[in-house]
Amino acid sequence: MKIYLKIWRQENHNSPGKFKAYELDGVSSDMSFLEMLDMLNFQLIKSGEIPVEFDHDCREGICGQCGMMINGIAHGPLKNTTTCQLHMRSFTDGETIYLEPFRSTAFPIIRDLKIDRSALDQIIAAGGYISVDTGQAPEANSIPVTYQEAEDAFDAAACIGCGACVATCKNASAALFTSAKIGHFVHLPQGQKETAQRVVNLVNEMEKLGFGHCTNTEACQVECPQDISVLNIARMNYEYNKAKVLIKSRN
C-alpha cells in the first residue's frame, strides 16, 4: 500500500503548528496504525529529520495513551477501537490520512501528536480516598452487592482515560470521564461514606481545569473505545445534586 499522510507538526505548546505532508510506500495492510507511524519515523530518522512524536505505551488497547484524531475521528474509523488496535486494512491504497492531536484547552500539546493528559489525573486525585473495612475477609455472600450493581460498576471502571470523549465533544467536556470515575464507586459499598464529598470534589475539579459543559450530544459515547454509557452522566448529575443538598443540610 502507498499511504499519503498529513500530520500536525508542532514543536511545543507555545509555538505555531501546521500540517506536513509525507508519503509512505510499502505499507502492509496487516500493520497496526502505530506500526505504520513507526515505519514513517524510521525513515525520518534515516534521512536526518525529526521523528513524529505520539503517545503510546501498552499497544494492547488498555492504557489509553495512543489517542489521536484520524481523519477527524478520535481513534479512527472503527467503533470502540483504540488507535493502537486499528490496522491499516481499514484504509485504502493511495488514501490520504490526516493526523492531529486531541484538542482541548485542558490538553496542552507537548509536541506534534503528543498531549498532556494530566488534567484527567487531577480529576481522579480530587476524589480522595475511600473507606474500606480491614481485617479478615468477609464471606462473599454477605457483601450486599447485586449482580447488576457489580456489572454497572465494572462497566464504568472500564474507562481507560484516553480523552477521546473530550476530544470529540464540541464543548471539550470531560463529563463522561468524570462520571465513569464517580460511577465506579457509587455502585459499590466501599467508599460510601465519602460519596457526597467525592462527587462534589470531582465535578468541581473538572470545571476548575477548564473542561466544557455537557450538552447531551452523546458524541462522547460514540467515540469511546470502551463504549462507556452516557447514563453515567445522568447518574453523576443526580449524585451531584443530592450531594449538594446533603452537604448543605450538614452545615
Side-chain angles (χ1 to χ4, degrees):
M1 295 174 63
K2 176 178 283 188
I3 297 295
Y4 299 94
L5 299 167
K6 292 197 174 180
I7 303 177
W8 185 263
R9 303 301 306 266
Q10 186 170 342
E11 186 174 354
N12 55 55
H13 178 62
N14 296 317
S15 63
K18 63 179 181 180
F19 283 103
K20 188 170 182 180
Y22 299 95
E23 183 180 312
L24 200 56
D25 204 355
V27 176
S28 168
S29 60
D30 293 326
M31 280 183 174
S32 73
F33 198 84
L34 296 190
E35 287 173 336
M36 179 274 293
L37 289 179
D38 291 337
M39 180 180 176
L40 171 65
N41 278 342
F42 181 71
Q43 293 187 11
L44 292 176
I45 292 170
K46 282 185 66 176
S47 62
E49 296 182 62
I50 298 175
V52 176
E53 287 205 29
F54 59 93
D55 282 317
H56 65 94
D57 189 4
C58 72
R59 299 202 178 198
E60 294 179 349
I62 298 171
C63 72
Q65 294 303 299
C66 60
M68 63 184 74
M69 301 298 287
I70 303 172
N71 290 340
I73 304 172
H75 291 295
L78 293 187
K79 182 176 174 60
N80 305 140
T81 304
T82 54
T83 301
C84 63
Q85 297 298 293
L86 181 67
H87 288 77
M88 295 310 297
R89 54 180 169 267
S90 297
F91 303 91
T92 58
D93 187 23
E95 184 172 351
T96 298
I97 305 173
Y98 287 81
L99 303 181
E100 55 188 312
F102 284 172
R103 298 188 184 276
S104 169
T105 301
F107 290 163
I109 293 175
I110 297 175
R111 189 184 186 100
D112 299 336
L113 306 176
K114 186 180 181 68
I115 61 172
D116 182 356
R117 291 181 177 84
S118 61
L120 300 182
D121 297 326
Q122 290 176 247
I123 292 175
I124 295 174
Y129 61 89
I130 64 169
S131 294
V132 179
D133 293 332
T134 59
Q136 186 174 358
E139 200 280 321
N141 291 326
S142 70
I143 301 175
V145 181
T146 65
Y147 171 81
Q148 191 57 53
E149 288 284 335
E151 285 294 296
D152 291 343
F154 184 82
D155 288 344
C159 170
I160 59 176
C162 67
C165 54
V166 178
T168 199
C169 175
K170 66 179 183 179
N171 305 320
S173 171
L176 189 65
F177 169 82
T178 305
S179 67
K181 300 310 171 185
I182 289 171
H184 178 189
F185 288 112
V186 80
H187 293 286
L188 299 176
Q190 295 85 351
Q192 286 299 316
K193 295 177 183 177
E194 297 83 26
T195 295
Q197 195 59 58
R198 181 189 306 114
V199 171
V200 171
N201 288 348
L202 286 170
V203 172
N204 289 348
E205 186 70 16
M206 173 182 65
E207 294 181 348
K208 186 178 77 173
L209 290 168
F211 290 102
H213 293 286
C214 172
T215 49
N216 297 313
T217 64
E218 301 185 12
C220 51
Q221 181 175 345
V222 172
E223 302 301 340
C224 175
Q226 296 298 96
D227 196 27
I228 303 296
S229 173
V230 292
L231 292 177
N232 284 291
I233 299 177
R235 183 62 185 261
M236 176 181 70
N237 293 336
Y238 166 76
E239 293 292 339
Y240 181 79
N241 290 328
K242 184 174 73 172
K244 293 290 282 187
V245 171
L246 179 60
I247 293 172
K248 185 177 180 179
S249 67
R250 289 173 180 172
N251 297 331

